[in-house]
């Protein structure tokens, strides 16, 4: 049996029920590959700005956050009785940056809600930003800018 060290980081919110666990095995880091245990994800990885085949962690994070944010908007729009447009979209940009403290991330979410009033759009986006797990995970940890177009 291997020697194992477990490092546990405790979040601030109590979890009462796990709804899903994504399991992915990565080899080779930024120049490697990622594969999910259920076989639904199998992708090559490459560093940003290189000619390597595959995507990078920043693109994967942007895709995951966008999808999750749309889900949070759908959830909150339904609860608020605001009809979410079928053309709803999120364009996420995640920057890999460096500074005095080393590497970090920052992000911009451009939310498109055609047909909603400015007040409706702002209400849905603010509620989504409070409930989206990606938004919660990044809150206070990275710079995030959200813009809304209607």
């Amino acid at each position: 049996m291997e020697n194992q060290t477990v490092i546990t980081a405790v979040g601030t919110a109590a979890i009462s029920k796990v709804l899903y666990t994504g399991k992915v095995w990565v080899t080779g880091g930024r120049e490697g590959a990622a594969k999910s245990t259920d076989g639904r994800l199998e992708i090559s990885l490459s560093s940003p700005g290189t000619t390597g085949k595959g995507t990078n962690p920043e693109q994967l994070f942007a895709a995951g956050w966008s999808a999750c944010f749309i889900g949070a908007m759908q959830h909150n729009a339904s609860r608020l009785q605001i009809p979410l447009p079928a053309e709803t979209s999120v364009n996420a940009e995640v920057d890999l940056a460096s500074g005095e403290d080393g590497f970090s991330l920052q992000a911009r979410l451009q939310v498109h809600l055609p047909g909603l009033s400015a007040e409706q759009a702002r209400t849905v986006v603010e509620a989504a930003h409070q409930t989206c797990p990606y938004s919660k995970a990044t809150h206070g940890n990275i710079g995030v800018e959200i813009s809304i177009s209607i």
Side-chain angles (χ1 to χ4, degrees), residues 18-85:
V18 173
L19 302 174
Y20 173 77
T21 301
K23 297 179 183 179
V24 177
W25 181 54
V26 174
T27 58
R30 287 182 174 272
E31 301 301 326
K35 183 176 181 178
S36 64
T37 57
D38 64 5
R40 296 178 75 183
L41 173 72
E42 189 168 352
I43 191 164
S44 296
L45 302 171
S46 61
S47 293
T50 65
T51 58
K53 292 182 180 180
T55 189
N56 59 64
E58 292 73 27
Q59 289 174 331
L60 292 169
F61 190 72
W65 195 351
S66 296
C68 187
F69 202 86
I70 290 172
M73 287 192 298
Q74 291 168 335
H75 171 78
N76 286 290
S78 174
R79 183 181 57 80
L80 295 165
Q81 298 182 350
I82 296 173
L84 205 62

Side-chain angles (χ1 to χ4, degrees), residues 108-146:
R108 290 168 302 286
L109 302 180
Q110 300 159 355
V111 180
H112 184 58
L113 294 166
L116 293 188
S117 70
E119 182 180 339
Q120 287 175 318
R122 184 175 185 89
T123 298
V124 168
V125 168
E126 286 177 350
H129 195 48
Q130 295 300 313
T131 57
C132 172
Y134 281 75
S135 293
K136 287 180 179 182
T138 59
H139 183 78
N141 296 313
I142 69 170
V144 177
E145 179 183 297
I146 300 176

